[in-house]
Amino acid sequence: MTQTAIRILLVDDESAIRRALRPPLLELGFQVVEASRGEEALQMLRAGAFDVVLLDVNMPGIGGIETLRRMRALAPRMPILMLTSAMRKRRSCGAGTGRRRLCHQAIQHPRTDCRIRTAVRRVQAPARAEDAPIEIGELRWSRCVAS
């Protein structure tokens, strides 16, 4: 059975950051669509189906926080992971010699991949925990309710 690739909306005003993040996300099997402003991201969210958003906090225009608020109004259950300048500084995702490689390594880190996939799984899970199937390895039990 083939799985559909997770569609990521990557929102950052800096093209160097988007260029640095795109290749490792693609290598991990994600589909990546880019937006350079909050306004553009909101239009894309209205027009397309995305599984998760990676959103920069500091952007010109409406900015990341206001974009987040508006995205929540449009898609309340959409997983949105915020990108911050502190994260970029720590992981050296900015433009410059060798920094793209370091950013690439940060995205390929198992925790980053896991955070994206977990955020999507949470949204796709049943609304009530007691309705969720129990899975152990390849075994899966669904709760049956007699009527």
Side-chain angles (χ1 to χ4, degrees):
M1 177 166 74
T2 60
Q3 270 188 330
T4 305
I6 292 173
R7 285 182 42 99
I8 295 177
L9 177 56
L10 173 60
V11 188
D12 199 304
D13 60 308
E14 296 181 44
S15 61
I17 300 296
R18 293 192 316 271
R19 281 194 312 269
L21 292 174
R22 185 180 186 82
L25 290 170
L26 292 172
E27 284 179 27
L28 289 168
F30 299 117
Q31 290 180 3
V32 181
V33 177
E34 298 177 18
S36 61
R37 298 179 349 269
E39 298 87 349
E40 180 185 8
L42 290 166
Q43 289 174 348
M44 294 173 97
L45 191 61
R46 284 183 196 104
F50 295 96
D51 298 302
V52 66
V53 177
L54 297 181
L55 177 63
D56 182 23
V57 173
N58 297 312
M59 292 186 296
I62 63 171
I65 300 302
E66 182 58 28
T67 301
L68 172 65
R69 285 187 187 111
R70 294 181 189 187
M71 284 181 169
R72 285 282 175 244
L74 287 172
R77 290 181 45 92
M78 173 69 63
I80 301 172
L81 305 174
M82 301 299 286
L83 303 172
T84 66
S85 58
M87 179 166 111
R88 287 187 198 150
K89 193 173 185 181
R90 186 174 66 245
R91 294 185 178 164
S92 302
C93 289
T97 307
R99 293 188 177 182
R100 180 179 174 156
R101 182 180 56 78
L102 291 173
C103 183
H104 191 275
Q105 290 171 347
I107 288 294
Q108 284 186 321
H109 192 284
R111 275 188 268 155
T112 305
D113 180 33
C114 184
R115 283 182 183 138
I116 293 169
R117 293 180 194 284
T118 299
V120 171
R121 257 194 319 274
R122 282 185 186 139
V123 172
Q124 295 172 344
R128 299 182 329 167
E130 58 267 20
D131 294 337
I134 298 169
E135 294 184 42
I136 301 173
E138 293 181 3
L139 300 175
R140 180 182 175 115
W141 292 273
S142 294
R143 184 173 185 201
C144 296
V145 179
S147 49

